Amino acid sequence: MSKLKGLAAGALALAALSTASAAEAETRVGLLLPYAGVYAALGEEIDAGFQLALEEAGMTDEFAIVREDTEVKPPVGLAKARKLVLEDEVDVIVGLVSSGVLGAVRDFVDGAQVPLIVANAGNDDATGSRCSKYITRVSFSNGQVNRPMGQWMYDQGIRKVYTLAPDYAAGRQMVGAFAEAFRQAGGEIVGEDFTPFRKTQDFGPYLTKAKAAGPDAIFVFYAGGEAISFVKQYDSFGIKADIPLYGSGFLTSPLYVNAEGPAAEGVVTALHYVPTIDTPENRAFVEAFRARTDRAPSEYAVQGYDAGRALIEAVKSGADSREALASALAKVTYTGPRGPVKIDPATNNIVQNIYVYETIKGDGGLTQKIVGTVEAVADAPNGCKL
Ligand code: PHB
């Protein structure tokens, strides 16, 4: 804590800010991400977005970053969170990609009273029944991203859907939220399957079963390496020609959609960010990210970037303890690359637009055509009391 206190003192002593007090003014950040395993590319992308935010603000020297790899494994993530807090004495943890890892670290950060800025993991419980004033999520919740697709697909005339997802918290919550909304709209779920997470390489048997159920469409959640394999196999097994594929937008993330290739063309999904959002804020962000990485930013990049921006705003507001930092994070609001965003005081989850988009062929590879926007989507508190 002393480090954050030092920061406030240093900020107050503005005029006399010497090199020594500047060094004292450091906020220690634990960047807890997967740098190996099925979500490694996602972790790297969040890291790149986070660094861009600090660079743009000219504040890289004010943050000392310690990186740890979760390997997408809950027990490893928990051990690394403990290490960051107990050994490295970080003031704040930023990151987490997997809902399983978030579920595993939730009680530890809440008990240790360390602010956590969630930069991906959508686990509904972390801003629902297991919410905490120390947890602020700037990414999305699993329900938030998928619920709008229930009504949207029904409105397109789709009546029977089969769902598939990896068998862990995120997979169950993402297709669960979609299925509930689709049924409420009047649709029918004609079957579902959950594939072993991090272990499934051959989706053939699952696709055969899905096709046999005779749905109008298939709705899935897959991300990272699993998304690439799934979309390619969906095409190569010949199902694409008969049954259209829908899903949560991570399936065709701009981060890896070009690795999926033509198999991804025509797939319709929903997400809180696509690089084709046509606003001045997003155009500036796309340009800055491209200048740094030579590629368009994905949702993971914007999540890392917004985690950095939220942290900067909170620190600039003069937060002088972990508790003050956590409260300041929960009040962050601005219009960024994905549109207007604010943190919901009832849950500490971000409130944001959800964009339905089709993956289409563009000039320099595949691109995202926005076909629908649902504005300011928020979750019900689901038992959260802050
Ligand atoms: C999650 O586990 O919450 C998760 C992982 C990857 C994604 C989205 C959500 O792309």
Side-chain angles (χ1 to χ4, degrees), residues 82-102:
R82 295 176 68 90
K83 183 233 170 218
L84 285 169
V85 172
L86 303 174
E87 283 177 37
D88 302 314
E89 299 184 352
V90 299
D91 299 308
V92 54
I93 296 178
V94 176
L96 298 190
V97 164
S98 160
S99 283
V101 178
L102 175 53

Side-chain angles (χ1 to χ4, degrees), residues 104-276:
V105 306
R106 185 269 168 210
D107 286 354
F108 171 70
V109 296
D110 181 66
Q113 304 186 331
V114 180
L116 165 64
I117 306 177
V118 180
N120 186 73
N123 195 326
D124 292 329
D125 302 341
T127 50
S129 58
R130 297 178 75 208
C131 71
S132 160
K133 66 177 181 177
Y134 290 96
I135 300 178
T136 309
R137 180 156 48 204
V138 299
S139 47
F140 57 87
S141 78
N142 293 331
Q144 182 183 38
V145 168
N146 294 281
R147 218 181 297 119
M149 278 296 263
Q151 186 68 48
W152 196 86
M153 284 174 61
Y154 187 84
D155 290 346
Q156 305 304 304
I158 297 163
R159 295 292 177 267
K160 292 179 178 183
V161 170
Y162 191 99
T163 66
L164 278 169
D167 190 7
Y168 80 108
R172 292 198 171 257
Q173 292 177 357
M174 297 226 192
V175 299
F178 161 75
E180 195 184 326
F182 185 62
R183 282 198 194 101
Q184 260 167 24
E188 186 192 348
I189 302 295
V190 294
E192 63 171 22
D193 232 331
F194 293 96
T195 55
F197 181 42
R198 299 193 290 117
K199 297 188 185 88
T200 306
Q201 258 143 44
D202 179 7
F203 292 96
Y206 302 99
L207 289 167
T208 307
K209 224 175 120 189
K211 190 176 175 182
D216 300 330
I218 297 189
F219 182 96
V220 309
F221 160 70
Y222 285 105
E226 289 194 331
I228 300 173
S229 308
F230 182 85
V231 171
K232 284 184 150 175
Q233 292 178 27
Y234 187 81
D235 191 16
S236 64
F237 286 124
I239 297 187
K240 190 179 174 202
D242 301 332
I243 309 170
L245 178 59
Y246 292 79
S248 70
F250 309 103
L251 183 67
T252 44
S253 172
L255 181 59
Y256 39 75
V257 73
N258 284 310
E260 294 169 355
E265 259 176 63
V267 177
V268 176
T269 60
L271 211 50
H272 51 292
Y273 175 76
V274 284
T276 46

